[in-house]
Amino acid sequence: MIAARGYAALLTPLAQSALSRDYRYFRERQASEPAACLYVACLVLARSLLRLESPAWQQILGPERAAFDHLNRRALRPGDPLRYAIQALWLLCVRPAAWARLSRRLARFAAMLDGGLRRGQSWLAARYAGFMDSHAVRQATPWQDASARAAGHSLTVARRAAMVAGLALSAPLAAWCITQPLNWNSLFIFVLALWCLALVIRRLPGRMPALMLIALSVIVSCRYLWWRYTSTLHWDDPLDAGFGIALVVAETHSWLVLMLGYLQTAWPLRREPTPLPADTGSWPSVDLFIPTYNEDLSVVAPTVHAALNMDWPKGKLKVYILDDGKREAFREFAAACGAGYLTRPDNRHAKAGNLNHALARTDGELLALFDCDHVPARSFLQLTVGGFLKDRRLALVQTPHHFFSPDPFERNLGIFRSLPNENILFYGLIQDGNDTWDATFFCGSCAVLRRSAVEEIGGFAVETVTEDAHTALRLHRAGYASAYLRIPQAAGLATESLAAHIGQRMRWARGMVQIFRRDNPMLGKGLSLAQRLCYLNSTLHFLAGVPRLVYLLAPLAFLLLHAYIIYAPAIAIALYVLPHMALAAITNSRLQGRYRHSFWSEVYETVLAWYIAWPTTAALIMPSKGRFNVTAKGGQIEKTYFDWKMASPYLLLAALNCAGLGFGFWRLATGPADETFTVLITMAWVLYNLTIIGVAIAVATEAGQARRRSRVATELPCNLALRDGSSYPAVLLDYADDGAGLRLPRPGLVRQDDAVMLTLLHGGGEYLFPAMVQRAQGDAVDLALAPMDAGRHRDYMRCTFGRAHAWLDWTDGFPEDRPLRSFFGLVSMCGRGYAQLARHAPEPAQRVLRLTRTTAYWVASFAPRPIPSHAAWVEVTQP
Amino acid sequence: MKSIVFCGVRGGTGTTSTMAAIGQALHALDEKVLMIDLAPSNLLNLHFGGSPTETKGWARALVDGRPWHEAATELQSGLHVLPFGLLNQTERLRAPQLPRLLWQSDAARMAALRAQYSVVLFDLPSTEVTNSSVMLRSDLQIVTTEADPASCALLAKLPPDKRRHYLITRYDPVSRVQRDIRLLWQSRLGPNLLPQVMHRDASMVEALCSKAPVGRYRPESLAAQDAQHIAAWCQSRLRSLE
């Protein structure tokens, strides 16, 4: 009050009223009395020192004051004068309009470049379309017909001579290209030219551009490896030498996998099914085996019903349940539905022993094998058996494993049906590529084998834990052929938790290395060179545990221990490593982009690396048979939790990498200046590692699933009959063994707990299934199907899982692979992973994290904000 | 102008309701439809809001010596119905000969008819399923039947005719007998059995209670969808006859 009277004496009435208005404004904004006085004083200072009424200031302060919205909308806080000042300064300096114009211009320029590039590509494609995809280029290789191969006429003399001549010409050229050293300028131009060429070629359709890209990538990668071996292996320090050798070995492994991968996937065969003869009397008899051990009957019953529904002449198909669990319920079930039931006194050799036991007690000409949760479609036999009749030496036809439930990656990262899963690369591309070289191997399920061939090699292989691949190897050695049909005719359940998934992969890894040690595909007779290399690549893929760990820890050798792992200047690293990685990424994106997006291979490898490193190394040294751990099928995860046990290796790796990052900053601050570039590159590498590890941590957060059974998404017409006699056409949106989801024509037709009849339409017939409404939201209805007897269950399988075209869209609906976009997607998943880790962390850690977060938000609140776009008053035309 | 005749293999198979639904569905497919009731029971106009005691109709007009075409009612632009009219007992005895008088109308009248409508639907009583000039003159014959053993026997008695198509009405897939009889007819009648059935649906009955065709009463019902599918089938069938 005294102060007020003092002001009254000093100021004119106008100034007095202005000041008291401002004071009242600040008090309304919930500032305390002294704070309000302080703010008023600041305002007076601002008005006297700065010319707030000048046009430049008015433009910023503006009638709407939209620029200060984020501050005006809440109560005043102590630091607010500083915040206002920073925002005003930023607006003065930055000129959002100019920035917006600049970014628009840049976007237009980029679009123009992209458009020009695409026009050039389409011109090239149109002009050389005949050349790119000509019939001569697409012609099948001679290895498709194994009978011809057995007769020894696979390669005519002329063809052989042409191949030899081609090799004789190109080998020295390639060797010169790879080993010729270049100085920095030439190397830069060379690498730039190759990169531009790759960018142009990669969008052109056809097989030829893919082969050209492979050639470019092979040149660059071989140059890189040659340079590594010839120029970077000098070490004075034993520590340097140790780490350096580890890294070189890891890189050699990756190079080998890359090269063999190109060989495997350069030319997918895309085999067509062989039609069966019209006379069904000549069709062979088939025994269908469904081995089971400890799975629930509810998991096996759909498979048995679908198998009984298969389209095959009556009497020529016999379905057998091979029950190693010797359960009475299964015996009764088999008797009730007309399937055979076989069991044995012991459980020696697990699944392989089970199959061999059944082999001796059945007599069909062909064997069809299905895992107990792989539900076959009705057309499986009609698509696969034709080849056996045409080709006497064909012993195996394999079809893809498709999963209608999400695997741990898809479920925990939330990418089910929006990104290709781990499975699709192998069954969509690699097996297809193997088929070109007649190296398709048996995958344990969804396949048909010739009984005489299996008996000739002594039954299913029991010496290793992956009896399927070993059996296929033995069949190949005996001179039989194998085929792969890239049409999914069965679908099953994916592993339901990360622990189960890793357990399954560990078994595969151990088994493949056991095969490598005991029955090495590179040695021994009976295999062609290409077959050996394909088997070798499969083994090398599972030996990637140790190299991946090396990659994850290599930058730390420099940052933590100051060990020089690559003896080369930073510029050399940039000019050799970056093109090698870039071209490999571009080529793989082109070859595999439909089946696996960029950078996801690193994620899958990282998740498995720690777990398969030891078993594979042990199996390399001591290949005695490990324990066959059965993959648990059909379980479910109730609620979300963080799998600490599984995630502990990733946490360790992340902690080490974070330590490396910290050391990196320290070295930047205190180390010698000429090392700065090296430290920066190494820290970038560490950041990349942290991103991949973050995604692995995100996978370790097990997301709970609300439903007991996974639903298969679909869109089929169906009818719903209500109790009152009215019926409505509906659309079946998803189905499972015990429930279905529908969309009705309009909301409000059913209520919860209504009893309804679901009619599914199939093959001109209508099949009814009583159900109860579990949930009705708008026009979407969730039904629980009433328990069904065997006959009705079979009808249900016929209408849903057993449809011939049920899984044909398995690779549809995935977006195109864009490497940068894929990487940024991974970055966001990595962020979620670390956030989940923080959320599930123990309490002391959570307190620290909360404190850090609060501090970070407080600091960030001082940052200036851009003006929201609707306040377009800044768009005053400026010269 | 094409014509379709609907007739039941026996009485009470839901011919009139089915024809009303299909006529309305054809109109929804942008055809100009005239529905003519040839049954003395005069039930067709009930499906479109008429009264049961309404006497107006083409047969009434013919007997009274008035022009028959004036008895038509316009329901919507392009959808017209011509009820039979109320006849007493003695007049009804002449009913089977009355359609012939329709054909014998002057050429100008017939030409006008052809210009005005693209499809004419006839509702024939089931007693005339074997011997009717209407059946013989129509482009498409649809005999409605329920899937029961009696209808099996009746169908077997009908002389075979390539132009005659059979439509199962009140089909309820719950009944195993109905499913089996449908399978039997699929194999025996082949392409003469319509691939689409009219399902048993309470909406049909409720629609008649509301005196509206089921496509307007409850367009999201299964019966309405069945009628749409059959109308589309008829449309493509008639186009292929040109």
Side-chain angles (χ1 to χ4, degrees):
Chain A
M1 277 296 113
I2 305 166
R5 226 161 306 161
Y7 290 148
L10 283 174
L11 301 168
T12 65
L14 190 63
Q16 216 173 12
S17 64
L19 278 183
S20 50
R21 192 188 59 219
D22 289 333
Y23 180 75
R24 246 177 289 127
Y25 170 73
F26 284 121
R27 291 290 284 146
E28 273 165 28
R29 293 278 305 279
Q30 293 160 34
S32 59
E33 280 193 16
C37 291
L38 182 63
Y39 292 145
V40 170
C42 287
L43 253 186
V44 167
L45 206 62
R47 284 205 190 105
S48 44
L49 289 180
L50 312 164
R51 286 177 58 225
L52 285 181
E53 61 273 12
S54 70
W57 274 109
Q58 280 309 308
Q59 203 172 22
I60 292 168
L61 295 178
E64 294 103 53
R65 294 197 186 204
F68 298 95
D69 251 354
H70 59 283
L71 296 169
N72 288 341
R73 287 235 176 95
R74 53 167 180 71
L76 275 182
R77 289 201 314 218
D80 266 357
L82 188 58
R83 290 196 186 93
Y84 275 108
I86 294 180
Q87 178 81 354
L89 234 88
W90 183 77
L91 284 169
L92 263 184
C93 305
V94 159
R95 297 264 212 96
W99 275 112
R101 265 206 309 276
L102 183 65
S103 66
R104 269 205 305 278
R105 275 209 199 112
L106 277 176
R108 266 203 300 267
F109 183 62
M112 202 175 69
L113 268 183
D114 194 45
L117 199 62
R118 279 184 200 271
R119 269 199 301 276
Q121 281 169 346
S122 52
W123 175 84
L124 252 181
R127 250 207 88 179
Y128 295 104
F131 172 64
M132 299 290 183
D133 208 13
S134 69
H135 181 69
V137 165
R138 265 187 287 122
Q139 212 170 26
T141 63
W143 288 277
Q144 196 176 9
D145 192 346
S147 324
R149 191 163 69 94
H153 298 305
S154 60
L155 289 173
T156 60
V157 173
R159 233 180 183 151
R160 215 186 285 252
M163 259 178 63
V164 168
L167 272 173
L169 229 92
S170 48
L173 266 177
W176 179 76
C177 205
I178 289 167
T179 56
Q180 175 75 7
L182 293 170
N183 61 17
W184 299 135
N185 287 336
S186 324
L187 185 57
F188 178 67
I189 295 174
F190 174 68
V191 150
L192 194 65
L194 283 188
W195 184 63
C196 290
L197 195 58
L199 283 182
V200 169
I201 295 176
R202 69 180 170 147
R203 292 262 170 76
L204 299 175
R207 292 211 201 240
M208 205 44 107
L211 293 178
M212 286 197 250
L213 272 180
I214 290 178
L216 291 179
S217 176
V218 166
I219 290 176
V220 171
S221 299
C222 290
R223 275 194 68 91
Y224 169 72
L225 207 69
W226 177 259
W227 169 74
R228 282 288 267 132
Y229 273 102
T230 53
S231 321
T232 61
L233 297 185
H234 318 252
W235 296 294
D236 308 317
D237 195 28
L239 192 67
D240 286 4
F243 286 121
I245 288 176
L247 189 59
V248 163
V249 167
E251 293 198 25
T252 312
H253 171 272
S254 301
W255 174 84
L256 200 55
V257 167
L258 188 68
M259 297 296 124
L260 291 178
Y262 287 151
L263 179 74
Q264 256 186 330
T265 59
W267 201 278
L269 189 61
R270 301 284 169 88
R271 187 187 290 264
E272 302 273 325
T274 314
L276 286 160
D279 169 31
T280 61
S282 61
W283 294 5
S285 54
V286 179
D287 288 329
L288 202 148
F289 291 158
I290 303 176
T292 167
Y293 174 49
N294 60 358
E295 294 85 5
D296 201 33
L297 182 58
S298 60
V299 172
V300 183
T303 311
V304 177
H305 287 310
L308 290 167
N309 276 346
M310 239 187 247
D311 286 343
W312 200 248
K314 213 171 172 63
K316 290 208 172 177
L317 170 65
K318 296 202 188 71
V319 177
Y320 294 97
I321 303 179
L322 312 179
D323 186 14
D324 259 354
K326 305 171 211 351
R327 291 158 288 184
E328 199 48 42
F330 277 68
R331 183 190 294 275
E332 285 164 7
F333 170 75
C337 62
Y341 181 80
L342 292 174
T343 185
R344 53 180 179 150
D346 59 4
N347 280 0
R348 285 184 70 222
H349 302 304
K351 185 170 158 195
N354 202 357
L355 291 170
N356 284 333
H357 174 88
L359 204 61
R361 280 156 186 72
T362 53
D363 59 1
E365 290 167 51
L366 298 177
L367 307 168
L369 291 166
F370 283 96
D371 273 354
C372 61
D373 62 312
H374 282 162
V375 181
R378 59 189 292 188
S379 51
F380 174 78
L381 287 177
Q382 289 182 331
L383 285 178
T384 49
V385 170
F388 289 99
L389 291 177
K390 185 161 163 248
D391 183 0
R392 291 274 103 215
R393 301 299 287 171
L394 186 66
L396 162 72
V397 174
Q398 175 71 47
T399 58
H401 288 188
H402 177 62
F403 297 123
F404 60 83
S405 68
D407 66 19
F409 294 91
E410 292 176 301
R411 194 182 45 247
N412 299 339
L413 298 175
I415 54 172
F416 187 47
R417 302 304 298 171
S418 59
L419 286 179
N421 64 26
E422 193 193 354
N423 215 30
I424 287 186
L425 177 65
F426 180 69
Y427 288 107
L429 183 65
I430 295 186
Q431 276 282 51
D432 215 9
N434 280 342
D435 202 18
T436 310
W437 309 110
D438 192 22
T440 307
F441 56 86
F442 178 38
C443 300
S445 170
C446 309
V448 184
L449 292 124
R450 195 188 288 275
R451 174 188 289 269
S452 55
V454 176
E455 285 174 347
E456 186 182 315
I457 61 168
F460 292 90
V462 299
E463 292 84 3
T464 66
V465 289
T466 43
E467 74 286 348
D468 37 26
H470 199 185
T471 308
L473 181 63
R474 288 220 184 121
L475 285 172
H476 281 133
R477 282 201 197 277
Y480 287 102
S482 63
Y484 180 69
L485 264 186
R486 198 178 155 271
I487 304 172
Q489 288 290 293
L493 293 168
T495 49
E496 81 279 0
S497 70
L498 185 63
H501 182 87
I502 289 183
Q504 186 189 55
R505 301 287 191 244
M506 280 167 67
R507 174 171 69 82
W508 292 357
R510 190 188 305 126
M512 291 302 282
V513 176
Q514 278 177 343
I515 294 175
F516 186 72
R517 275 300 312 269
R518 293 185 152 193
D519 195 359
N520 200 326
M522 296 300 287
L523 315 168
K525 56 179 177 53
L527 298 173
S528 71
L529 176 65
Q531 282 176 328
R532 294 180 200 275
L533 291 176
C534 290
Y535 274 104
L536 177 67
N537 200 22
S538 307
T539 314
L540 283 179
H541 165 71
F542 282 109
L543 283 174
V546 173
R548 176 55 48 186
L549 285 177
V550 168
Y551 287 133
L552 288 171
L553 296 173
L556 306 178
F558 176 69
L559 289 172
L560 292 177
L561 306 170
H562 210 241
Y564 285 99
I565 45 179
I566 303 184
Y567 190 85
I571 178 97
I573 296 179
L575 281 180
Y576 275 100
V577 171
L578 288 181
H580 159 71
M581 283 171 44
L583 271 176
I586 292 177
T587 312
N588 276 331
S589 176
R590 167 59 193 254
L591 290 175
Q592 301 174 2
R594 267 188 65 197
Y595 309 102
R596 178 164 297 178
H597 283 193
S598 310
F599 303 105
W600 278 92
S601 300
E602 277 85 345
V603 172
Y604 296 131
E605 267 182 30
T606 305
V607 168
L608 289 178
W610 183 275
Y611 292 101
I612 64 175
W614 171 243
T616 49
T617 320
L620 261 184
I621 303 168
M622 301 171 303
S624 56
K625 191 165 72 111
R627 210 165 43 86
F628 183 104
N629 58 326
V630 178
T631 314
K633 299 261 174 83
Q636 116 238 26
I637 297 183
E638 298 275 352
K639 56 188 200 48
T640 310
Y641 69 99
F642 189 78
D643 196 344
W644 287 101
K645 183 162 172 295
M646 276 291 133
S648 39
Y650 318 137
L651 296 175
L652 176 64
L653 289 168
L656 284 174
N657 275 288
C658 283
L661 210 58
F663 267 84
F665 280 118
W666 175 71
R667 276 188 204 284
L668 272 181
T670 64
D674 57 351
E675 270 190 2
T676 311
F677 194 49
T678 318
V679 173
L680 283 174
I681 289 187
T682 319
M683 282 170 67
W685 190 355
V686 167
L687 280 176
Y688 174 74
N689 283 347
L690 278 174
T691 311
I692 305 289
I693 296 173
V695 179
I697 291 177
V699 177
T701 314
E702 298 282 9
Q705 55 190 78
R707 283 217 193 86
R708 205 170 145 250
R709 295 232 190 285
S710 283
R711 294 268 178 98
V712 180
T714 183
E715 204 156 311
L716 293 174
C718 63
N719 298 331
L720 197 68
L722 307 183
R723 261 291 184 75
D724 65 359
S726 53
S727 295
Y728 296 93
V731 178
L732 186 72
L733 294 178
D734 53 55
Y735 59 84
D737 197 43
D738 58 353
L742 310 175
R743 184 175 61 228
L744 289 176
R746 66 168 172 84
L749 289 171
V750 291
R751 280 195 315 260
Q752 195 166 353
D753 295 332
D754 277 353
V756 295
M757 286 288 235
L758 173 67
T759 308
L760 293 179
L761 314 168
H762 184 72
E766 301 184 24
Y767 300 91
L768 261 79
F769 306 101
M772 199 174 77
V773 176
Q774 272 201 317
R775 200 172 53 235
Q777 249 172 337
D779 57 3
V781 169
D782 209 51
L783 297 180
L785 295 171
M788 300 183 254
D789 64 5
R792 190 164 266 165
H793 202 178
R794 274 181 68 169
D795 287 339
Y796 187 69
M797 299 309 296
R798 188 177 293 131
C799 296
T800 53
F801 290 88
R803 289 173 301 132
H805 52 277
W807 316 113
L808 290 186
D809 60 348
W810 64 313
T811 53
D812 291 349
F814 296 130
E816 200 192 318
D817 178 28
R818 318 268 288 259
L820 275 182
R821 194 169 292 184
S822 181
F823 185 68
F824 288 130
L826 282 177
V827 168
S828 78
M829 278 181 220
C830 145
R832 270 213 306 275
Y834 287 122
Q836 290 280 19
L837 178 64
R839 199 168 303 152
H840 289 98
E843 191 45 40
Q846 293 236 11
R847 250 181 272 142
V848 168
L849 284 166
R850 268 199 292 271
L851 187 62
T852 321
R853 194 169 49 215
T854 322
T855 319
Y857 279 152
W858 185 77
V859 169
S861 69
F862 283 93
R865 308 281 160 84
I867 304 173
S869 53
H870 64 263
W873 52 273
V874 194
E875 284 295 323
V876 175
T877 47
Q878 298 204 0
Chain B
M1 182 185 83
K2 298 275 188 264
S3 58
I4 312 178
V5 60
F6 288 82
C7 188
V9 74
R10 57 171 171 79
T13 55
T15 315
T16 311
S17 308
T18 306
M19 191 181 107
I22 294 175
Q24 197 263 337
L26 276 170
H27 177 250
L29 288 174
D30 294 330
E31 300 279 357
K32 296 199 276 283
V33 180
L34 171 66
M35 292 178 281
I36 304 182
D37 192 355
L38 298 178
S41 47
N42 199 24
L43 287 173
L44 183 61
N45 69 335
L46 271 185
H47 289 82
F48 295 98
S51 157
T53 52
E54 182 72 50
T55 57
K56 191 168 87 148
W58 65 271
R60 179 82 260 160
L62 274 180
V63 164
D64 293 342
R66 281 181 281 121
W68 57 265
H69 56 270
E70 285 171 5
T73 320
E74 170 164 311
L75 304 165
Q76 277 180 288
S77 152
L79 182 62
H80 295 182
V81 69
L82 190 61
F84 189 86
L86 216 50
L87 297 181
N88 61 30
Q89 203 67 342
T90 42
E91 287 158 342
R92 241 183 239 201
L93 293 173
R94 289 175 54 202
Q97 285 86 38
L98 287 174
R100 216 159 289 155
L101 297 175
L102 277 181
W103 308 139
Q104 285 160 4
S105 299
D106 51 300
R109 169 66 40 209
M110 297 309 286
L113 260 183
R114 264 188 215 103
Q116 201 176 359
Y117 302 108
S118 56
V119 182
V120 173
L121 306 182
F122 291 104
D123 181 13
L124 202 62
S126 61
T127 45
E128 318 227 350
V129 68
T130 44
N131 54 352
S132 167
S133 55
V134 184
M135 291 283 271
L136 298 169
R137 280 165 186 271
S138 299
D139 297 302
L140 201 54
Q141 305 170 20
I142 296 183
V143 173
T144 59
T145 170
E146 288 193 25
D148 58 39
S151 305
C152 269
L154 288 172
L155 275 185
K157 292 199 176 102
L158 289 177
D161 189 340
K162 269 209 187 56
R163 288 172 303 166
R164 195 180 309 131
H165 293 84
Y166 299 93
L167 169 62
I168 299 177
T169 54
R170 298 212 190 100
Y171 182 70
D172 192 354
V174 162
S175 157
R176 201 172 296 170
V177 169
Q178 290 204 25
R179 287 208 306 262
D180 289 348
I181 290 181
R182 185 180 175 189
L183 275 176
L184 177 70
W185 282 344
Q186 272 171 349
S187 73
R188 205 175 273 177
L189 300 172
N192 284 51
L193 180 69
L194 252 74
Q196 179 67 50
V197 301
M198 289 293 289
H199 287 88
R200 172 187 290 275
D201 191 350
S203 310
M204 287 285 265
V205 177
E206 291 175 28
L208 183 53
C209 292
S210 299
K211 288 197 189 165
V214 73
R216 202 159 330 123
Y217 171 72
R218 197 176 278 162
E220 69 272 9
S221 68
L222 187 58
Q225 195 195 53
D226 291 342
Q228 279 169 6
H229 290 170
I230 298 173
W233 181 87
C234 291
Q235 203 183 35
S236 72
R237 205 67 214 199
L238 292 176
R239 290 229 177 95
S240 72
L241 288 174
E242 280 163 22

